[in-house]
Amino acid sequence: MIPVSLSWVAEQVNGQLIAQHKQDLIIKGVSTDTRSILPTDLFLALQGPNFDGHKFVKQAEDKGAVGLILSRKVETRLPYILVADTTIALGLLGAAVKAKVAPKTVGITGSSGKTTVREMVAAILSHRGKVLATKGNLNNDLGVPMTLLRLEQQHEFAVIEMGANHLGEIAYTSNLVKPDVATIVNAAAAHLEGFGSLLGVARAKSEIFKGLSEKEGLAVVNADSQFADYWMGKLKYNNVQTFSASKQADVYSENIILGLDGCAQFELVTPIGRIAISLSLPGAHNVSNALVSASLALHVGATLEDVRDGLRTMPHVAGRLHVKQLTNQVKILDDTYNANVGSVNAAIDLLSSFAGIKILVLGDMAELGEKARYYHEKVGEYAKLKGIDKLYTLGVLSQSASDVFTDNGRHFSRLEQMVECINQQTMPEKCDISILVKGSRSARMELVVKALEESPLGKLERFRERMAC
């Protein structure tokens, strides 16, 4: 965070500064967690239904905090700023720091793929200058302002991911971020418990455009989405650019070729020219992610060469679709970070492109509301349609997927049973076998990947590696 004075903070959050001494203090960080607080930090006491940061003021003092932001008076020797709501104060402070640093800013939301797009844009812009990007899943009403507070004066670009599980959340965070360019990667069946319907998802995602300047801000719209016209109707006074992986648009792709590793090569066509692109991430769906990333990055100053080089050298995103060669014949497609219908189907498309036996290992997809079993059935039907050989499920809802898969579908109640079954399928190895592991974060399907790597199959490959040495 940029160094700021305590009095400046009080002014930005509309708070009352209460201090025994008149000497103004310099703040170099803000923390909401006393476990990670640093000296020169300001401790902000968040409050919710099940927690109250005001109870940890003494711990903040002991850790070296130099000041506090509180919503009620407490006994403390530290100067503090009294506000009506500390959550709102956090947002105001994040927005103020962002305005003071004034980086070119990209806003990203979507049901799936937004984190991949975030990392793609950051990789492209890193060829232009210093980039701050959202870490992990800090994309909600608390995570977004905490990300903005990480801005330093040297940051020329900010790439901010925004998520939500209820209406109004993205409108709030987008108005804090005030992006120069913003996009909705896609809208799919996700968080339906909070949004009620797929249209509710599309409406919630469209809130990201509310933070754009009507005269100078650019909205980048997915022309392949069923909601493209709906979003365009909300952008009558904004600049708009479209992208498409299936037809001509402002930014589009031609001559897509999927390599043996599942990574795509294609021609990127933009209003300023065209260039050959090679992706480092597998999956045809990442062509669309690359197109929107190019649109976003080009608007804030990237060149076509920056786009090419950033996408070619982009590192793997942990938990996102990553092909791991377990043995000479067996590969694992680790896509365990999260799941909804759209992202599962995209991963199935990649799985279906590989030769040999194709196995889908599916955990529950969360937050799908009252139609959750129906959506799991649709995924099972899609896997069968795409020629997947076996579907193994783990969880309560995912059984609906293996049930509709019929004879080659099987449900497991315990991870160990599933891993043992997969090992029996793959040892001894007679042909190429690809195993896609997918599920929502709550399903913890990364444990399946870890168990397979530590199973007799994985140990066999490690034995071979040692013998080769």
Side-chain angles (χ1 to χ4, degrees):
M1 178 177 164
I2 55 173
V4 294
S5 68
L6 190 59
S7 60
W8 182 86
V9 172
E11 183 179 352
Q12 303 309 312
V13 301
N14 302 317
Q16 177 188 2
L17 178 55
I18 299 173
Q20 295 178 353
H21 305 287
K22 292 185 178 181
Q23 181 182 2
D24 209 353
L25 297 173
I26 298 300
I27 307 302
K28 296 184 179 179
V30 175
S31 176
T32 61
D33 188 342
T34 55
R35 293 170 296 184
S36 58
I37 201 165
L38 298 173
T40 73
D41 274 0
L42 188 67
F43 174 65
L44 186 143
L46 292 173
Q47 201 167 2
N50 302 312
F51 62 91
D52 184 359
H54 295 80
K55 296 179 179 179
F56 298 93
V57 166
K58 182 62 168 60
Q59 287 92 321
E61 290 180 358
D62 295 342
K63 286 290 189 71
V66 295
L68 312 165
I69 298 181
L70 310 172
S71 60
R72 68 172 186 265
K73 293 182 178 181
V74 300
E75 281 292 325
T76 177
R77 58 179 173 78
L78 297 177
Y80 63 93
I81 299 168
L82 193 61
V83 297
D85 186 317
T86 50
T87 298
I88 297 300
L90 178 64
L92 291 171
L93 186 54
V97 168
K98 189 266 175 179
K100 196 172 181 68
V101 177
K104 290 289 185 181
T105 306
V106 176
I108 300 165
T109 193
S111 297
S112 59
K114 56 183 177 292
T115 299
T116 298
V117 170
R118 178 193 81 199
E119 295 302 315
M120 284 182 167
V121 174
I124 294 168
L125 293 178
S126 67
H127 290 266
R128 281 282 108 190
K130 189 73 172 177
V131 183
L132 173 80
T134 301
K135 286 184 177 179
N137 61 345
L138 295 175
N139 60 15
N140 62 7
D141 58 344
L142 299 178
V144 168
M146 289 301 295
T147 298
L148 296 177
L149 289 174
R150 289 173 43 224
L151 281 164
E152 302 281 357
Q153 204 59 60
Q154 69 266 27
H155 285 122
E156 299 173 62
F157 304 100
V159 183
I160 310 298
E161 178 183 327
M162 288 172 254
N165 55 25
H166 61 270
L167 287 170
E169 188 171 1
I170 292 177
Y172 171 71
T173 54
S174 184
N175 275 295
L176 299 180
V177 172
K178 296 194 180 305
D180 296 287
V181 56
T183 195
I184 306 166
V185 179
N186 53 44
H191 300 298
L192 293 182
E193 291 177 352
F195 299 129
S197 66
L198 193 51
L199 179 59
V201 173
R203 178 185 171 195
K205 301 302 181 185
S206 72
E207 293 174 357
I208 196 170
F209 299 132
K210 292 185 177 182
L212 288 171
S213 164
E214 288 188 359
K215 291 184 179 180
E216 299 177 359
L218 177 69
V220 178
V221 175
N222 185 350
D224 296 329
S225 172
Q226 61 178 307
F227 296 107
D229 291 340
Y230 172 76
W231 291 327
M232 294 285 279
K234 290 179 170 288
L235 294 165
K236 295 178 181 178
Y237 305 105
N238 294 94
N239 299 315
V240 179
Q241 188 172 86
T242 58
F243 69 94
S244 172
S246 62
K247 57 191 175 188
Q248 285 197 358
D250 294 318
V251 174
Y252 63 99
S253 55
E254 287 184 343
N255 306 318
I256 301 172
I257 299 172
L258 207 62
L260 293 177
D261 59 356
C263 296
Q265 296 179 346
F266 63 94
E267 193 84 5
L268 169 66
V269 185
T270 78
I272 63 170
R274 59 174 63 213
I275 196 166
I277 299 293
S278 296
L279 297 183
S280 64
L281 301 182
H285 63 287
N286 276 317
V287 173
S288 182
N289 290 337
L291 293 174
V292 64
S293 299
S295 298
L296 297 167
L298 288 170
H299 182 71
V300 293
T303 65
L304 288 173
E305 290 74 23
D306 294 330
V307 172
R308 177 197 62 201
D309 296 342
L311 294 175
R312 182 178 58 198
T313 60
M314 175 189 167
H316 166 251
V317 183
R320 268 66 178 193
L321 192 51
H322 179 43
V323 180
K324 300 178 177 179
Q325 200 71 39
L326 193 60
T327 73
N328 289 335
Q329 276 74 45
V330 181
K331 63 172 68 75
I332 298 176
L333 282 63
D334 180 358
D335 197 13
T336 55
Y337 180 77
N338 212 344
N340 57 47
V341 176
S343 66
V344 173
N345 286 349
I348 289 171
D349 288 340
L350 175 61
L351 177 62
S352 69
S353 71
F354 288 109
I357 296 173
K358 295 170 275 286
I359 301 173
L360 170 59
V361 178
L362 181 68
D364 287 355
M365 298 181 291
E367 299 183 65
L368 291 178
E370 60 185 19
K371 297 181 71 175
R373 292 194 180 278
Y374 165 78
Y375 285 118
H376 283 82
E377 288 175 357
K378 298 301 289 184
V379 164
E381 291 169 358
Y382 188 74
K384 192 168 186 177
L385 177 68
K386 297 296 289 186
I388 305 308
D389 296 292
K390 297 182 184 295
L391 173 54
Y392 298 151
T393 55
L394 186 68
V396 177
L397 296 169
S398 60
Q399 185 169 357
S400 298
S402 54
D403 286 347
V404 300
F405 205 80
T406 60
D407 293 345
N408 288 320
R410 184 173 173 184
H411 184 72
F412 297 86
S413 58
R414 292 174 55 241
L415 181 150
E416 295 81 7
Q417 294 173 330
M418 174 186 283
V419 172
E420 182 180 354
C421 177
I422 293 173
N423 271 273
Q424 290 173 354
Q425 293 284 335
T426 55
M427 292 180 65
E429 305 160 39
K430 297 179 180 178
C431 64
D432 289 338
I433 300 172
S434 301
I435 306 166
L436 167 63
V437 186
K438 183 75 173 165
S440 287
R441 285 198 298 271
S442 57
R444 302 201 65 190
M445 297 303 285
E446 70 274 8
L447 297 179
V448 175
V449 174
K450 183 179 179 181
L452 285 170
E453 291 174 331
E454 295 177 351
S455 71
L457 185 64
K459 290 177 180 177
L460 174 63
E461 183 62 17
R462 288 195 294 275
F463 173 75
R464 289 172 175 167
E465 290 174 353
R466 287 196 298 270
M467 292 299 291
C469 293

